[in-house]
């Protein structure tokens, strides 16, 4: 999707046509078993796809679909559109649901397991000015029990996969914002030379590249580990990926915006779309702080051995 | 150094606080950001109220209708305005803080008489025509041309970041009158906004609809008598407003930042996660403590600068130091607020009592602070070259 | 003291002659009442002196002397040399005493108040390789009760003054390391130009200057407030000063070392002496973390009002 | 990407681990840092043990007596050496990691035969004569001159940061053979350290006595046949060792850093403040968690680079990325350790079981990492210019 299309998309509600395209490409059924008509891919492949989706700012409840398509194959075909709510670690504050419009079913993860609730059964209020123009948000006030879909072990697996696919999208943001910042630094001239020839800009870009590379390595390593092709503690690697990619997404988007200067403040320019998306992804499947705490807990446990 | 307030200062503060206690509630709620006429009426109405009460042009000399306040009074003024949650300077900004001061320093008697009283009374709104698409950090690279034709300049070019362009009465305009000299070929003009050839296009920002516009100028004829200062001397004229900068420019915002940190504590107390309040999270508390120390020390810098200046009368280069420290710090405070909101940050409006408007929306606004009026990178260059004597970098050929 | 003298001092034990000079200059009796033969100066003046002592890396138990000279005027005259131990917030780990050699008396601050113990009554082991070559350290294993000198209110006041005088020395370090880094950046040439003409160095220096200015303002403001010439909460201002000056000292010393490049690693060069002293001062009268916690507690208390 | 180890890798790891289990304890404690002869004997003795066991020159081609290990084996080698707390490469560093590889790439058959076997067997210690007082970041500005006189070069000048200078047998020496060209006037020589005119002065560092020296050269006569590569082609020769850099240079240190973080957890558990353990301080725990994530991701970068390189055979510029990330991170880890020690950090030796030596002393050592072998600033320049295509800065006139 070229960047102009992203800007246009920003004012649209759920885009059914785009969703059908994604289903046809197999994006929604990456994780569905081949027997059930999916691609049956591992996490190592899934993170490549989701990094690309993040890099292009694709909208829609992508992660929830990929997670649930293993349990409900219909989701992978695009016929059933699901969104979700992570209640595994309840907190005060409103229940905010992304991409409500267009979704038929709400998936809830909590300590008991996985539930599904038909959206017809719920009352939702649209948030008028969502932070990310490409991530419409609704608020719901009550959560009926719904139908039990899977047990808590499955729930934990889905949560881990959700965290890693989110990290992959964050990686995509780190990649895209480095790309945009690089081009702009070469193009934009001030004081009779490209701004990319100033050390202040050079060094910001170098730090962005380091963060991008670190995020990429962490996400790939966590995926290989989840697929059983690594040697580390998968939970620690997933938290590492979510934390490092989250930080890379935020800081690279922030750096991109600063390098764009005044132009970074202009609506039609890419940086702010990425920065806003980075905030949305940070608040899905565990924040940096939560994952840092998880890592410390696991490290501390290994220290007592 | 004595940071206490004198008796006279206390009297000033008391009178101002008393007046604000009545005047602020009487102003009512600010109009929708989309209703430009109502916003102009609201902002200029408040300016008129300030004028009537003797608080307009707080740092303008008395001979030009200002308050002529002492530095300490000025600081108190910003403190009290912020604490009372009074309306901001809004679209009077360019006139009161920039264009007016420039006329005071460099304008002719006629120019002063024409504009200064009207600016102070809220009868004239000004906008700024400085930046251009290719002249940002390198402002002196501006290319909007002014060519003499009889007793007029004929102006052609494009400006950007013209705030309130479509409701302003006058524009402080920088133009190129000599293309053979970069800094020495710029002139400073007062442009009436009702002239032919001026086109204003709104410029949406990351914040959505915004106060900013692009301004396109096509054969706009500006009388030569509207020039402030000599022809080609506009770069120096532009810098004279700095004389008005007495280290107090960010005072109101810093006071607001102190209040924000207290709100953050309240928010943390009201937020629960995993059956404990966020205030119980020592990492968060420590971060708040650290930020509070930074805000207090920036505030102390402002007071120190004001107290030094009151003693010596010599303004320093401290403006860049405070700008750099304050703007970076401001972003960190509101970023922390946004983080503390958790998923309520997915909205830019308040949700269920969670203050997204004051944190998330405000965070987005703070993003321009490290770019506008000299980016953090430019400030660091200024500090190292002018305050520490580092050599300039080699120029491009 | 020129820098060569600092390097020489590094190998010496307690310098009695220097100490007598300082006493004669009145440095040790700044806070002693004029009736008792001291200068009776306020904190506003004391921080100026201590910033200068920090800037010149003066050795010896300066802060403990200044604190106690108000209670024991003999200290101000240099006849009685005191060092001290802050036990107001006990922690596990060894009891480390600075400048033991040359001191006759150990002052202990704890929740009960201020005590004095004659050093003859104690067994101390010298630490062979102290971190700061100018701050010799002894370890003691047991702490006899000693003699009660003052109550807990006095103890709290002394602790606050100690924190602020330490902050003043930290400010001095921030000042000196900026000065050294500035001169070196102008002098040292690489790639046929002074390294101070490279933006990377310029911007490091600018950030160092900002930190120095912030530290100076915080220390001065806290001092004015303690003297009753300010309008803020003195405890919060003192913690602010200790935290901001501590950060400035550490980061500026670190920046100075980096700007010196390989030369920063050479013993005879100033940067490492300052960095090491910064670590010593950080561990006196409350660390940055402790002061940040104190500030948050006070801020949180005001938030409930 | 498959990050699992193959069966062959596991066999390699098992054999190495078994060997280390016996060989490491047998080495005994390392000698005092002041006893140079004992240290030389210790380091070269370990090199000989490695050689006898078939682990010397792990990444040297087999034809030159090396192990010719695969990349994955090399990684495993560093992991196991670090986990077994085996002696480091010590004063064999320059010969095994730098001088030897340069001879392999560019040396004559005679030069190879003279030195390579002896380096591998621990019979020759090398030192480096690259940096000069005025040629640090800008190494190519070096001025030590070599003038031909018959079949010798006569060398005059001063070098700095010559580690192990007074016990080394040979020095890899960069000299200026043409003063009219900067990069194109440098030659690479093998200098026997027993020649007349070489004076070594120990160079104390912030760490106290150190392994570094200054080296003064006065009319030192070096045979022309000791030149490696063509005259004036030394800059290129210097860079060929980079071919040996396969992203694994920091592997052992990163493994050590992972272990350090576990020690930090243990230390936090054993430290109490205010009647609770430091481990109870969530701010500290979170910081440890964050640092652990960074160490793991840098380790993942190394593995990813090795796995890519094994697939494509093309080494990337990743070395600068890993160097920049790892060295800055390393300092942060040991700085946190130093903070956690509290007042025990006032000592550089262990006190009462508090590990000051491993934290404080180590922290001091890490300070050189962001300077040596290309400072962080130089690395950022390399990354932005060579990996992102940013233009070079304008040069000084």
């Amino acid at each position: 999707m070229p960047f102009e299309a992203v800007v246009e998309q920003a004012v649209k509600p759920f885009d059914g046509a785009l969703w059908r395209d994604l289903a046809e490409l197999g994006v929604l059924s990456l994780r569905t078993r081949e027997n059930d008509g999916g691609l049956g891919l591992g996490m190592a492949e899934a993170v490549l796809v989701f990094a690309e989706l993040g890099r292009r700012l694709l909208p829609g409840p992508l992660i929830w679909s990929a997670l649930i398509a293993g349990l409900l194959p219909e989701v992978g075909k695009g016929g059933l559109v699901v969104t979700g709510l992570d209640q595994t670690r309840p907190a005060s504050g409103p229940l905010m649901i992304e991409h409500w419009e267009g979704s038929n079913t709400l998936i809830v993860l909590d300590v008991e397991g996985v539930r599904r609730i038909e959206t017809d059964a719920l009352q939702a209020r649209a948030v008028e000015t969502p932070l990310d123009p490409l991530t419409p948000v609704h608020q719901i006030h009550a959560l009926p029990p719904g139908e039990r879909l899977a047990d808590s072990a499955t729930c934990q697996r889905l949560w881990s996969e959700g965290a890693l696919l989110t990290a992959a999208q964050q990686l995509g943001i780190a990649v895209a914002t480095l790309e945009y910042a690089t081009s702009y630094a070469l193009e934009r001239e001030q004081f009779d030379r490209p701004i990319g020839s100033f050390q202040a800009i050079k060094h910001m870009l170098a730090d962005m590249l380091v963060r991008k590379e670190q995020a990429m390595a962490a996400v790939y390593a966590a995926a290989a580990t989840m697929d059983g092709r690594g040697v580390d503690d998968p939970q620690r690697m997933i938290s590492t990926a979510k934390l490092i990619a989250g930080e890379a997404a935020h800081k690279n988007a922030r750096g991109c915006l600063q390098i764009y200067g005044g132009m970074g403040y202009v609506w039609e320019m890419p940086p702010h779309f990425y920065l806003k998306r980075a905030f949305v992804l940070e608040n899905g499947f565990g924040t940096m702080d939560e994952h840092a705490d998880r890592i410390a807990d696991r490290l501390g446990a290994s220290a007592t051995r | 150094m004595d940071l206490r307030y004198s008796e006279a200062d206390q009297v000033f503060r008391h009178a101002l606080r008393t007046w604000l206690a009545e005047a602020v509630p009487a102003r009512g709620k600010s109009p929708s950001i989309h209703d430009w006429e109502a916003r102009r009426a609201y902002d200029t109405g408040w300016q008129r109220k300030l004028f009537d009460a003797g608080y307009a042009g707080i740092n303008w000399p008395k001979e030009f209708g200002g308050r002529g306040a002492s530095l300490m009074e000025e600081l108190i003024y910003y403190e009290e305005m912020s604490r009372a949650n009074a309306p901001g300077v809004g679209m009077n900004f360019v006139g009161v803080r920039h264009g007016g001061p420039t006329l005071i320093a460099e304008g002719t008697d006629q120019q002063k008489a024409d504009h200064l009283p009207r600016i102070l009374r809220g009868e004239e709104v000004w906008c700024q025509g400085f930046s251009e698409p290719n002249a940002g950090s390198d402002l002196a690279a501006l290319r909007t041309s002014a060519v003499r034709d009889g007793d007029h300049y004929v102006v052609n070019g494009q400006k950007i970041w013209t705030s309130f362009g479509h409701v302003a009465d006058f524009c402080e305009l920088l133009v190129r009158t000599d293309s053979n000299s970069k800094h020495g070929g710029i002139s400073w003009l007062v442009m009436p906004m009702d002239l032919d050839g001026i086109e204003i296009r709104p410029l949406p920002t990351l914040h959505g609809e915004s106060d900013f516009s692009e301004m396109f100028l096509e054969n706009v004829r500006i009388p030569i008598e509207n020039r402030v200062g000599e022809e080609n001397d506009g770069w120096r004229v532009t810098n004279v407003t700095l004389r008005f900068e007495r280290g107090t420019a960010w005072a109101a915002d810093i006071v607001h930042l102190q209040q924000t940190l207290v709100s953050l504590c309240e928010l943390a107390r009201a937020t629960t996660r995993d059956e404990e309040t966020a205030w119980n999270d020592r990492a968060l508390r420590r971060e708040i403590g650290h930020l509070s120390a930074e805000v207090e020390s920036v505030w102390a810098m402002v007071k120190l600068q004001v107290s030094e200046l009151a003693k010596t009368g010599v303004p320093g280069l401290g403006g860049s130091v405070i700008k750099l420290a304050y703007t970076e710090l401001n972003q960190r405070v509101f970023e922390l607020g946004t983080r503390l909101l958790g998923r309520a940050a997915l909205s830019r409006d308040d949700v269920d009592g969670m203050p997204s408007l004051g944190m998330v929306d405000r965070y987005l606004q703070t993003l321009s602070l490290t770019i506008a009026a000299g980016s953090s990178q430019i400030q660091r260059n200024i500090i190292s070259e002018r305050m520490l004597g580092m050599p300039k970098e080699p120029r491009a050929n």
Side-chain angles (χ1 to χ4, degrees), chain A, chain B:
Chain A
M1 183 151 80
F3 196 74
E4 294 68 34
V6 169
V7 178
E8 261 177 56
Q9 199 74 36
V11 293
K12 280 193 197 165
F14 181 76
D15 185 342
L18 173 68
W19 202 251
R20 281 189 296 278
D21 288 351
L22 290 171
E24 242 166 67
L25 283 167
V27 167
L28 307 179
S29 52
L30 294 175
R31 299 282 289 156
T32 312
R33 282 182 300 269
E34 287 177 89
N35 289 346
D36 292 332
L39 299 181
L41 297 179
M43 286 303 283
E45 293 78 22
V47 295
L48 298 179
V49 175
F50 270 76
E52 193 58 23
L53 299 175
R55 181 166 161 246
R56 303 290 184 176
L57 283 181
L58 267 281
L62 294 157
I63 289 174
W64 287 102
S65 301
L67 293 182
I68 300 302
L71 301 178
L72 302 172
E74 184 57 25
V75 171
K77 292 171 196 137
L80 182 67
V81 182
V82 297
T83 183
L85 190 62
D86 170 14
Q87 290 284 93
T88 52
R89 201 188 178 212
S92 63
L95 299 172
M96 310 284 275
I97 316 233
E98 302 162 27
H99 304 292
W100 173 269
E101 231 155 287
S103 301
N104 328 102
T105 296
L106 175 72
I107 299 296
V108 179
L109 304 186
D110 61 24
V111 282
E112 313 258 296
V114 186
R115 292 183 283 149
R116 67 182 282 181
I117 305 169
E118 300 315 306
T119 53
D120 298 348
L122 287 165
Q123 283 202 319
R125 191 184 66 81
V127 165
E128 262 182 56
T129 48
L131 169 60
D132 175 10
L134 288 148
T135 307
V137 179
H138 280 62
Q139 188 196 352
I140 61 171
H141 288 281
L143 211 51
E147 178 196 342
R148 177 70 169 270
L149 205 60
D151 62 9
S152 70
T154 307
C155 175
Q156 280 171 34
R157 181 176 58 76
L158 293 186
W159 191 87
S160 297
E161 289 186 19
L164 186 51
L165 293 178
T166 308
Q169 287 195 309
Q170 291 172 316
L171 164 61
I173 288 178
V175 171
T177 46
L178 174 59
E179 289 168 345
Y180 278 114
T182 302
S183 316
Y184 193 79
L186 288 169
E187 215 171 77
R188 169 82 174 170
E189 298 198 357
Q190 289 283 277
F191 305 102
D192 306 316
R193 47 194 258 214
I195 60 170
S197 69
F198 290 97
Q199 268 191 352
I201 305 291
K202 280 186 176 179
H203 290 198
M204 280 172 76
L205 286 168
D207 288 336
M208 286 167 72
L209 182 134
V210 171
R211 281 194 289 266
K212 184 263 280 179
E213 293 288 329
Q214 255 182 275
M216 187 175 294
V219 167
Y220 290 1
T225 306
M226 270 193 103
D227 287 343
R229 284 185 287 174
V231 293
D232 305 292
D233 168 4
Q235 289 307 315
R236 188 141 67 90
M237 287 310 298
I238 289 162
S239 285
T240 292
K242 180 68 165 65
L243 193 163
I244 297 294
E247 194 163 27
H250 176 76
K251 289 195 174 164
N252 279 13
R254 193 61 201 82
C256 183
L257 203 126
Q258 184 70 17
I259 288 171
Y260 265 66
M263 282 300 121
Y265 211 62
V266 171
W267 177 267
E268 270 121 47
M269 292 289 147
H272 74 97
F273 286 99
Y274 286 96
L275 182 65
K276 289 165 177 174
R277 179 67 62 87
F279 271 105
V280 171
L281 295 174
E282 166 65 8
N283 284 296
F285 299 96
T287 62
M288 281 185 232
D289 284 350
E290 285 167 38
H291 284 289
D293 289 349
R294 280 171 169 259
I295 293 167
D297 289 346
R298 296 188 85 85
L299 204 67
S302 77
T304 52
R305 273 207 301 260
Chain B
M1 183 180 57
D2 195 332
L3 298 174
R4 281 174 309 185
Y5 298 101
S6 70
E7 209 163 308
D9 289 341
Q10 300 286 22
V11 169
F12 175 81
R13 184 192 293 278
H14 183 74
L16 176 57
R17 192 177 287 184
T18 307
W19 180 74
L20 285 168
E22 202 163 308
V24 172
R27 278 314 291 158
K29 219 177 130 51
S30 57
S32 152
I33 58 159
H34 307 298
D35 187 345
W36 285 98
E37 285 311 317
R39 284 177 68 188
R40 182 181 158 126
Y42 186 85
D43 289 355
T44 54
W46 176 248
Q47 181 65 26
R48 177 68 201 210
K49 285 207 94 170
L50 288 174
F51 180 81
D52 291 340
Y55 292 116
I58 187 77
N59 61 347
W60 287 27
K62 280 191 177 151
E63 56 178 306
F64 301 112
R67 172 92 189 190
S70 74
L71 276 159
M72 199 51 94
E73 283 172 348
E74 192 182 343
L75 213 56
I76 291 169
Y77 173 84
Y78 293 123
E79 272 191 281
E80 292 298 321
M81 295 300 263
S82 183
R83 290 208 168 119
N85 212 6
V89 66
M91 59 180 78
N92 302 302
F93 180 84
V94 178
V96 171
R97 298 265 181 92
H98 214 275
T102 306
L103 293 186
I104 289 173
E106 297 285 328
T108 61
D109 288 345
Q110 187 61 47
Q111 288 167 340
K112 287 174 185 163
D114 285 351
H115 298 289
L116 296 181
R118 292 177 54 81
I119 289 173
L120 279 191
R121 287 197 303 261
E123 290 162 8
E124 253 182 44
V125 168
W126 282 50
C127 65
Q128 189 179 66
F130 279 18
S131 299
E132 298 180 5
N134 290 308
S137 285
D138 186 12
L139 179 60
L142 62 89
R143 290 189 294 210
T144 293
S145 71
V147 177
R148 273 191 195 236
D149 179 24
D151 51 4
H152 282 75
Y153 287 111
V154 182
V155 177
N156 284 281
Q158 182 188 349
K159 294 289 179 179
I160 195 171
W161 304 118
T162 310
S163 47
F164 309 109
H166 42 304
V167 282
D169 306 301
F170 291 92
C171 176
E172 47 172 17
L173 188 73
L174 288 186
V175 293
R176 178 150 305 284
T177 36
D178 182 352
S179 54
N180 293 318
S181 167
K182 188 174 179 178
H183 293 82
I186 293 170
S187 298
W188 204 106
L189 307 180
V190 180
M191 175 171 78
M193 291 297 285
D194 56 1
L195 296 181
D196 287 342
I198 302 176
E199 194 199 339
I200 298 287
R201 288 187 209 152
L203 181 64
T205 66
L206 60 81
H207 198 245
E209 281 188 66
S210 82
D211 297 341
F212 296 106
S213 320
E214 291 178 285
M215 183 164 66
F216 297 84
L217 304 172
E218 199 184 336
N219 294 323
V220 181
R221 297 181 64 85
I222 302 176
I224 285 175
E225 68 205 35
N226 281 24
R227 195 187 63 228
V228 175
E230 294 304 307
E231 191 167 86
N232 295 328
D233 196 27
W235 187 253
R236 191 190 59 76
V237 174
T238 306
N239 286 301
V240 298
T241 39
L242 294 179
R243 283 194 223 150
F244 267 74
E245 169 51 69
R246 305 193 290 179
T248 55
W250 304 97
D253 302 273
I254 297 171
V255 173
H256 180 73
L257 216 48
Q258 291 173 316
Q259 292 162 348
T260 302
L261 283 167
V262 175
S263 320
L264 274 178
C265 296
E266 282 159 5
L267 182 58
R269 279 234 172 69
T271 306
T272 61
R273 306 164 175 163
D274 284 342
E275 292 157 28
E276 55 175 19
T277 70
W279 184 248
N280 247 351
D281 178 344
R282 195 173 340 172
L284 175 80
R285 276 211 314 278
R286 190 167 291 165
E287 211 171 332
I288 291 177
H290 203 119
L291 284 171
S292 167
E294 298 220 46
V295 173
E296 287 301 332
S297 65
V298 172
W299 182 235
M301 273 207 288
V302 171
K303 285 197 286 191
L304 188 59
Q305 194 163 331
V306 161
S307 122
E308 290 296 306
L309 183 50
K311 215 160 45 192
T312 65
V314 183
L317 284 156
S320 282
V321 176
I322 292 172
K323 203 254 176 196
L324 178 57
Y326 166 72
T327 55
E328 300 275 343
L329 178 56
N330 200 327
Q331 291 177 357
R332 285 164 56 206
V333 169
F334 289 101
E335 193 199 307
L336 178 63
T338 301
R339 264 167 56 205
L340 183 53
L341 284 172
R343 287 184 62 81
L346 269 55
S347 168
R348 275 165 54 195
D349 270 331
D350 292 359
V351 213
D352 275 6
M354 296 290 268
S356 297
L357 186 68
M359 296 292 173
V360 184
D361 201 69
R362 181 81 185 207
Y363 173 66
L364 294 178
Q365 287 180 38
T366 67
L367 291 171
S368 68
L369 291 178
T370 50
I371 296 165
S375 70
S376 292
Q377 285 71 37
I378 295 284
Q379 301 301 339
R380 289 192 184 97
N381 260 22
I382 290 174
I383 291 169
S384 66
E385 290 173 11
R386 298 196 204 156
M387 297 177 77
L388 293 170
M390 290 302 126
K392 286 185 177 293
E393 291 141 71
R395 302 188 68 84
N397 302 326

